[in-house]
Amino acid sequence: MERCMDCNSLLTREEIVCIECGTKVGGDERGVASFGATLVSLLFYASIAALVTSPFLDKGPGVMFCLMISCALLFIMRTAKDNAEKLKKR
Ligand SMILES: [Zn+2]
């Protein structure tokens, strides 16, 4: 359950605009956060794929480089998820 920040009336999860006073209930912000999280996880899987295939390729990024990128993306992914959770709780 969520509450309107303006008039404190109860809202369902699907409601983006408060039915009582018409205030927007952080729908856009949450959408951007989940889009970013999806994008980062896609990049993460791409870097994992690159990590797995890089030893078999003559050209392309090295294993260490791929490993570094994967770790960095994993970190970003966790941070993005934490942010999304915080937005949901509000
Ligand atoms: Zn309201």
Side-chain angles (χ1 to χ4, degrees), residues 2-88:
E2 291 181 59
R3 278 176 182 275
C4 174
M5 282 186 286
D6 229 41
C7 65
N8 214 34
S9 66
L10 284 170
L11 302 164
T12 61
R13 272 188 180 279
E14 287 76 29
E15 276 170 346
I16 302 164
V17 178
C18 174
I19 41 165
E20 294 292 325
C21 66
T23 307
K24 273 198 170 184
V25 195
D28 294 343
E29 218 178 331
R30 219 185 302 155
V32 169
S34 64
F35 175 75
T38 310
L39 195 72
V40 171
S41 44
L42 279 175
L43 280 169
F44 175 70
Y45 291 123
S47 70
I48 289 291
L51 179 68
V52 171
T53 53
S54 61
F56 307 105
L57 300 170
D58 292 335
K59 287 171 187 176
V63 180
M64 281 311 288
F65 179 75
C66 289
L67 199 65
M68 261 167 56
I69 297 291
S70 300
C71 286
L73 283 169
L74 190 68
F75 179 74
I76 295 166
M77 203 158 63
R78 276 167 166 243
T79 314
K81 268 185 188 165
D82 283 353
N83 287 339
E85 302 273 294
K86 272 177 207 160
L87 285 172
K88 268 179 204 162

